[in-house]
Each structure stands twice: as C-alpha cells, then as structure tokens.
Amino acid sequence: MDRKYIFLAILSLLNASDSRKCPDDCRCYENLERKYTVCELGGLKQIPTTDMESDTQVLIISAPRDKPNYLNIGRIFLKFSDIREIRIVHSNLPAIGDSSFWPGDKLLLLDLSHNNITILRDTDFNGLENLQVLNLSYNHISGIPSAPFRLLKSLKTLSLGNNRLRGLVPRSFYLLPELEVLDLGGNPLKDIDPEYMKDVKPLRKLVLAGCQLTRLHSLIYQQLPNLEELDLRNNKFKFFSPEEFRYLKRLRVLRLDGNSLTVIVDKTFDGHNLDHLGLSGNRIHRITPCTFCNTSIKELDLSNNSLISLNADVLAPLVPSLSSLNISHNPLNPRVIAAVLKLLYRLEKLNIAGMGLTQLSDDTLSKNRNLRHLNASENKFSNVSYKLLAPLKALQLLDLSKNNLKWLYPKLLEQLSNATDLSVLHLENNPWLCQECHIVPLLTWNSTLNRCEFGQECPRCAQPPSLADRILQTLQMEDLQPCAVSLTQPIVLPATSNIGVVIAVTIIIILLLIVVIAVVLYRQQGAVYYTHEEERNHDYSFDPCFNRNGGDKRLAFINMDRIEEAPEDRQIRSNIR
C-alpha cells in the first residue's frame, strides 16, 4: 500500500498539468505537501490570478532573458487565503504596493528578487505577520525609510543585497525580534554607523560582502553577541588589529576573502573556535608567528595570496583541529609544502592547485593518512610517483587535471585500483601521448575511474597529430601508433632522475681527476728525463786534440743510459789516434 502511494505521488509530480484550473502557459501540479502554479515561459503582462485555483499554496513566476515579464502586483491575492510561498522574479516589478499580499496570514516566503523595485514603504508588508523569509535582492532600492519592516514580527531572513543603498537610517531594522540572517552585501555602504545596528541583537548571520568597507567599528561587534557567521568578502580592509573579533564569542564562520590584507598579525583570531576562516584572494605575504595562537580552525583557506614562505610552526596551534587546508595559487616551494603537511597529520582535504609544482618528494604526504580529497590540478607534474600517494589509504577524490601528464605508470594505476574509497579521479586537460608504448597501461586499466561519464570533461589525446583531441575512452588498440623506440619501462620518476644526474656528474668528475693525475705524472717523468740528460752531458768530455783541430761534435742518438757518436766522428777519432 505504501509503495502504491509513493508511485502515485511521483506520477503527480511528473504531470505537467492536472484536472485543476490552470493559467495558459503555466504548469499546475500537486505534490505530497503543496499545490503549485508555475509560470516560467515569460512574456506575461499580468499575474494570472484569475485563472488560478484559490487553494494554490505556491506561486512561482519567472522568465527567460529573451522573453521578459512586465508585471505589477496590486491587491490581487485577496482570495488566496492558503498561499504559503510567492516567488515573482525576473519580472520587472517597479514597486510592491500598499497591502499587495493581504491577507497573507499564511505566507511564509516572499521572493521579489531580480526586479526593478526602487522604493520601500512600511505599508508594503501589511498582513504579513507570519512571514519568515523576505528576499528583495538585485533590485534598484537606493533608500529605505525608518522601520520599514516593523510589521514583519516573525521575519528570520532578510536579504537586501545588491541594491543601491548608500547608507542605513536609524531604526532600519526596528521590531524584528526573530531576525537571524541579514544580507546587505553588494551595496555601496562604505561605512556603517553602530547606532543603526543596535536592533539586530538576535542576528546569527551578517553579510556585508562587496560594500566598499574599509573598517567596522568595534561597537558593531559588541551589539552582535549571537553572531555565528560574518561575511566581509570583497571589501577594502587592509588590516585587522589583534583580537579584532574578540566580542563575537559565538563566531563560527569568518569570510575575509578578496580584501587588501598584506599581513595577518599576532592574535587576530585569539580565542575563536572557527569552522571556516576564509583569507583567499588577498595580498598576504606574511603570517606572523602567533597569528593562530589560542585558536581552533577546521577549514582554512589561504589560496590566491602572495605567500612565498610559510613557517610550519605558525600552523602548529591548529594541528588538533585543522581538517581542510587550501594553499593553492601561492608561490610556495615543495620543501615548505612538505614541512607544513608533515605537521598537519589530521588533514582530510588539501588543495595545492596552481602552484607551479613539477614534483614533490615521496615522503611529502607520509603523515596525511586521513586525507580524503587531494586537488593537485593546474600544476606542471609530468608524472606522479606511486610512493607519493601510497600513504593515502582513505583517498576519495584525486584531481590531477591541467598538468603535463603524458602517461601514467602501471604501479600508480595499480595503486589507484587498490584504493577502495577512491570514487572521483580527474585526468582531463593533460597532453596525453597516445602512442602504443605510452598510453596502453591507462587504456587497459580496468577501473570505473577510467570511464568518462556524459557531461564530464574527458581526457583527450594531444599527440600524435592524427589522434589529437580524441577522447581516450574511445580509442581502440588498432588506433595507436607504435613508438619509434619501444620503451621497456617508463621514464624514471623525477626523484630517480635526479639521482641519475648526480651519479653521472660524479663519474665525470672522477674521470677528470684521473686525467689530471695522469698528466701530472707524465710531466714529472719528463722532468726526470731532462735532468738526467744534463747530468750526462756535463760529465762527458771530447778529446782535446779533436777540439783544437776544430772538429765539430755530432750526436746521432741520445738516451738515458748512453750517448752515441755519429759514425763519421768515430772515424776521425780513429785517424787522430
């Protein structure tokens, strides 16, 4: 009986329309909880309430960009006493209007985002005492009166983001005792008077992203004792003082991304237990030694900064808590990365993308046995050592896309096959060399990870030209060209290659030493030879009678043992005698 009920419910969801009264070009259906009217084809000039069932509970009106709606509201919902949600977006609404949603006592969500609303009046929300969510983002609101939302006693979420507000007014949020989420992001506020925030003490989340702020007065923090999430992204903050956020005792999420920070000073986050700290997209080149003293952080994002050095000791206070680290797109060298990772043994997620890495030592991840997600994309790896990934027994996601991979070693593929938890492997956007001796191990790798699903980016051949841009998954063995020289084994890993270079250099040095020694010995031997020759010439004397007669001396052969005279000299000597 239960299965039949579920089946019928699914059928009702799939039906574009039913026997109920429904406006043209709209869909009307009923699911397990509510009755829907959905008009998303565009081109509407008025809201089709006259053709809707009075017990409609959810109304959704939108339009594509090329076929916009041009709507007004007015008091058109009088007969819809059971309506719970109204979403009228991308419809060029110029204003809300006095009591437009009356009676509205059951309305919980009102979304009027992406319209042309320019002004607000306190009478716009008459009858909406039970409204919990109001979204007015992406309009053209440039000013608000005092206490415009005072009738919304149950309001929990208010979004005024991406409007044209240049400032707030006293009691802007008066009589909102249940307000937990306030979004003012994307407005050119530049500064906020603490006096205007004193009515939002219950607030748990405050969004001030993209508001051109250079500072926030500490009194604002003091007036938000319940704040758990603060979003200050994409502003103009250059500096935060020590213990800047000390009054936000319940803070769990702090987003400071996209500012102009260069240095994070000691004890900036002193005493906080954060689930997430975002510091990406700044200009940070230095983090002082005690930045994270007395701090607990689960997720730390330092990506897209100017860090050329990062002392592992700086992160030491975070060792017990840190589970996710993003240091991508920083010019850190492999030795620094290895030192940091050996300290952070509790990491579960690591992002080292876009760091220009060509290799990492085999023991870099030796301590990170809990790592589940590893993003090493956008680097210059030509291959990956199986020893590097060997400690990662719990790995679930590995991203090696956008590197210089031309093939993968069989040992690495075997290791990935044995990683039972690995479910996502990204290998796309690499220059794969689709020749027989290079790509066969990857093509014959029997793993579901090697299959490219529909809609995903797929690994493609870069070479040879005849197979360029072919998806690896579609290749057959007969498509592959043989290599000019068959490789009996893959090119050695970078670490092994370095050892080979060292050995070769050592051999060359030894050979040079041998040559030098041989030359020195040879020269010494020649010196001895010439010395003996002088001694022998000094001891040898010609016959005086021979010399007096003007006979000239002729030596035919000289060696170390004797000096022989020429034959004609011997004849002359014999005649004299």
Side-chain angles (χ1 to χ4, degrees):
M1 185 67 180
D2 292 338
R3 290 182 180 178
K4 182 179 178 181
Y5 178 72
I6 294 173
F7 177 73
L8 292 174
I10 294 173
L11 281 180
S12 68
L13 280 173
L14 295 176
N15 286 334
S17 61
D18 53 25
S19 58
R20 294 166 47 82
K21 185 179 179 182
C22 189
D24 294 340
D25 298 326
C26 297
R27 293 181 297 121
C28 300
Y29 60 90
E30 181 177 350
N31 67 10
L32 296 177
E33 297 177 352
R34 294 183 178 179
K35 300 173 182 178
Y36 288 77
T37 297
V38 180
C39 307
E40 297 176 314
L41 298 179
L44 294 177
K45 301 298 182 184
Q46 61 181 8
I47 299 173
T49 52
T50 55
D51 298 321
M52 290 168 47
E53 296 282 358
S54 60
D55 59 350
T56 296
Q57 295 172 304
V58 178
L59 172 63
I60 300 175
I61 296 178
S62 185
R65 289 187 176 182
D66 59 346
K67 196 176 180 181
N69 296 324
Y70 291 93
L71 302 178
N72 289 285
I73 303 180
R75 296 191 183 186
I76 58 175
F77 294 100
L78 294 174
K79 69 174 183 178
F80 297 94
S81 59
D82 201 31
I83 201 157
R84 311 293 177 85
E85 294 184 19
I86 296 178
R87 302 177 187 267
I88 306 175
V89 300
H90 297 287
S91 293
N92 292 293
L93 284 175
I96 298 175
D98 185 10
S99 306
S100 289
F101 301 99
W102 183 273
D105 55 338
K106 292 185 179 180
L107 190 63
L108 302 176
L109 183 149
L110 178 59
D111 184 355
L112 302 177
S113 62
H114 297 276
N115 282 293
N116 294 332
I117 300 170
T118 57
I119 58 173
L120 295 178
R121 299 184 177 89
D122 55 2
T123 56
D124 288 345
F125 309 106
N126 280 339
L128 305 185
E129 293 185 356
N130 294 313
L131 191 70
Q132 296 181 3
V133 178
L134 175 60
N135 187 352
L136 297 171
S137 62
Y138 293 95
N139 277 282
H140 303 304
I141 301 169
S142 58
I144 55 176
S146 181
F149 310 108
R150 59 186 176 81
L151 300 176
L152 306 177
K153 300 184 183 299
S154 301
L155 195 65
K156 293 184 177 181
T157 300
L158 172 60
S159 179
L160 292 167
N162 294 281
N163 278 281
R164 299 177 181 178
L165 294 172
R166 295 189 173 277
L168 303 176
V169 296
R171 315 318 294 266
S172 294
F173 310 108
Y174 182 57
L175 290 181
L176 296 175
E178 303 293 328
L179 191 64
E180 296 181 351
V181 179
L182 175 60
D183 183 358
L184 295 170
N187 286 287
L189 295 172
K190 295 187 178 180
D191 195 13
I192 297 177
D193 190 325
E195 179 69 17
Y196 302 162
M197 300 295 290
K198 67 180 182 180
D199 293 316
V200 289
K201 292 186 185 298
L203 214 58
R204 296 182 181 274
K205 178 179 178 179
L206 175 60
V207 178
L208 295 171
C211 290
Q212 303 179 30
L213 299 171
T214 57
R215 62 184 291 274
L216 275 183
H217 200 287
S218 61
L219 284 177
I220 292 177
Y221 298 137
Q222 292 184 51
Q223 292 169 170
L224 301 172
N226 297 301
L227 200 67
E228 297 175 0
E229 181 173 348
L230 177 59
D231 189 345
L232 296 176
R233 289 176 295 177
N234 301 318
N235 281 291
K236 298 181 179 181
F237 292 100
K238 294 182 178 180
F239 178 80
F240 289 112
S241 62
E243 302 183 48
E244 171 90 18
F245 309 100
R246 61 186 176 276
Y247 297 112
L248 304 178
K249 302 296 185 183
R250 298 187 180 184
L251 195 64
R252 306 297 296 181
V253 176
L254 179 57
R255 305 184 189 277
L256 305 174
D257 316 82
N259 280 280
S260 300
L261 302 172
T262 56
V263 177
I264 307 298
V265 300
D266 287 350
K267 296 187 176 182
T268 301
F269 313 106
D270 185 66
H272 288 291
N273 298 314
L274 299 175
D275 292 332
H276 178 88
L277 173 59
L279 292 166
S280 69
N282 281 278
R283 304 171 188 170
I284 300 170
H285 61 83
R286 186 166 67 94
I287 299 176
T288 55
C290 206
T291 292
F292 300 114
C293 289
N294 192 31
T295 305
S296 168
I297 301 173
K298 291 182 180 178
E299 298 177 357
L300 176 60
D301 189 350
L302 289 167
S303 63
N304 291 282
N305 277 289
S306 304
L307 289 170
I308 58 175
S309 179
L310 181 60
N311 194 323
D313 292 340
V314 171
L315 300 178
L318 304 181
V319 170
S321 61
L322 196 63
S323 63
S324 177
L325 176 64
N326 187 347
I327 52 174
S328 64
H329 298 92
N330 278 286
L332 293 171
N333 67 56
R335 291 191 302 276
V336 172
I337 295 172
V340 168
L341 296 181
K342 287 175 183 177
L343 177 71
L344 302 173
Y345 64 91
R346 290 180 177 268
L347 280 184
E348 296 180 5
K349 295 182 179 181
L350 173 64
N351 192 333
I352 52 173
M355 302 183 75
L357 300 172
T358 58
Q359 63 178 353
L360 291 172
S361 61
D362 287 347
D363 64 344
T364 299
L365 301 172
S366 58
K367 303 295 184 182
N368 306 113
R369 299 182 181 274
N370 297 320
L371 204 64
R372 294 185 291 108
H373 290 188
L374 173 59
N375 185 348
S377 65
E378 299 181 64
N379 281 294
K380 298 179 181 179
F381 291 108
S382 59
N383 223 300
V384 179
S385 168
Y386 75 95
K387 294 180 180 179
L388 176 67
L389 301 181
L392 309 182
K393 306 297 184 183
L395 198 62
Q396 297 175 359
L397 180 148
L398 175 61
D399 191 344
L400 295 173
S401 63
K402 299 181 181 179
N403 276 281
N404 290 331
L405 300 176
K406 295 182 179 180
W407 60 80
L408 292 179
Y409 301 121
K411 279 191 175 182
L412 176 64
L413 294 172
E414 180 182 354
Q415 182 177 306
L416 294 177
S417 295
N418 294 331
T420 55
D421 292 333
L422 188 63
S423 58
V424 180
L425 176 62
H426 291 289
L427 297 173
E428 65 273 12
N429 293 303
N430 280 286
W432 297 106
L433 183 53
C434 296
Q435 288 181 311
E436 189 174 340
C437 57
H438 297 99
I439 206 68
V440 167
L442 182 58
L443 293 185
T444 57
W445 182 37
N446 185 21
S447 172
T448 56
L449 297 171
N450 196 30
R451 301 192 183 101
C452 181
E453 303 295 335
F454 178 76
Q456 293 178 338
E457 284 194 81
C458 303
R460 297 173 181 268
C461 300
Q463 292 288 337
S466 60
L467 295 176
D469 211 36
R470 277 281 298 273
I471 296 175
L472 265 59
Q473 186 176 310
T474 66
L475 293 176
Q476 301 297 323
M477 296 300 288
E478 54 268 24
D479 297 328
L480 303 179
Q481 295 180 3
C483 297
V485 178
S486 179
L487 299 179
T488 57
Q489 67 181 38
I491 295 174
V492 293
L493 296 175
T496 308
S497 178
N498 288 342
I499 293 172
V501 171
V502 171
I503 293 173
V505 171
T506 303
I507 292 172
I508 292 171
I509 291 172
I510 292 172
L511 291 174
L512 287 173
L513 287 173
I514 291 172
V515 171
V516 170
I517 292 170
V519 170
V520 170
L521 290 175
Y522 176 78
R523 289 183 175 179
Q524 287 180 345
Q525 201 168 25
V528 171
Y529 159 75
Y530 288 117
T531 301
H532 287 185
E533 181 186 58
E534 290 173 359
E535 290 174 355
R536 292 176 187 272
N537 287 339
H538 177 72
D539 293 337
Y540 182 82
S541 61
F542 294 103
D543 187 283
C545 297
F546 176 74
N547 289 333
R548 281 194 301 269
N549 293 332
D552 59 336
K553 178 180 64 179
R554 296 177 184 176
L555 298 180
F557 179 79
I558 301 174
N559 62 23
M560 299 297 294
D561 297 320
R562 69 180 184 275
I563 301 176
E564 294 186 5
E565 294 177 345
E568 58 267 37
D569 291 339
R570 284 199 298 271
Q571 182 63 42
I572 293 170
R573 183 179 293 275
S574 176
N575 293 335
I576 293 173
R577 287 177 182 174

